[in-house]
Amino acid sequence: MNYFDGLVFAVADDQKDAYVDYAKKVAALLKQHGALRVVEGWGNDVPEGKLTSFPMAVKLAEGETAVMSWIEWPSKEVRDTGMAACMKDPLFDPEVTSVPFDGKRMIFAGFDVILDA
């Protein structure tokens, strides 16, 4: 079964176009290093929770939207190798490339697929 990375973070509403441009570049780089698919979701029904929620997880502020991304890889091994290569690219370095979101508020994790229906 394939392997997935899941990410959630906040993007300022006025940075949506800049984010989409950045995401396209990141997707191309990820695919160059083995990713099968990259999906970006701009939140439009993201309720505030009482105990937990996407807004709470990323400390969503007024004028921001929660974004959920997932990256599909053929295996964890390909993902580990591919992500290591991507992390060396200037596109992943916020000191070199202007990143249109606050990476300190991003949550991310890797997942084994247990059902694909």
Side-chain angles (χ1 to χ4, degrees), residues 8-87:
V8 179
F9 45 94
V11 177
D13 295 336
D14 64 0
Q15 290 294 305
K16 183 177 182 180
D17 291 339
Y19 177 74
V20 171
D21 290 342
Y22 176 77
K24 288 176 182 176
K25 293 174 188 168
V26 168
L29 181 63
L30 290 165
K31 290 176 94 173
Q32 177 183 339
H33 290 288
L36 301 172
R37 181 170 64 141
V38 179
V39 179
E40 300 288 339
W42 189 263
N44 72 3
D45 186 11
V46 186
E48 184 67 46
K50 291 184 179 162
L51 295 176
T52 64
S53 67
F54 283 115
M56 294 167 105
V58 299
K59 298 184 181 194
L60 197 68
E62 186 71 32
E64 293 181 330
T65 296
V67 173
M68 182 175 176
S69 303
W70 51 101
I71 307 161
E72 181 178 4
W73 302 90
S75 67
K76 185 175 186 308
E77 294 73 28
V78 171
R79 178 268 207 160
D80 290 348
T81 302
M83 284 303 287
C86 287
M87 293 309 238

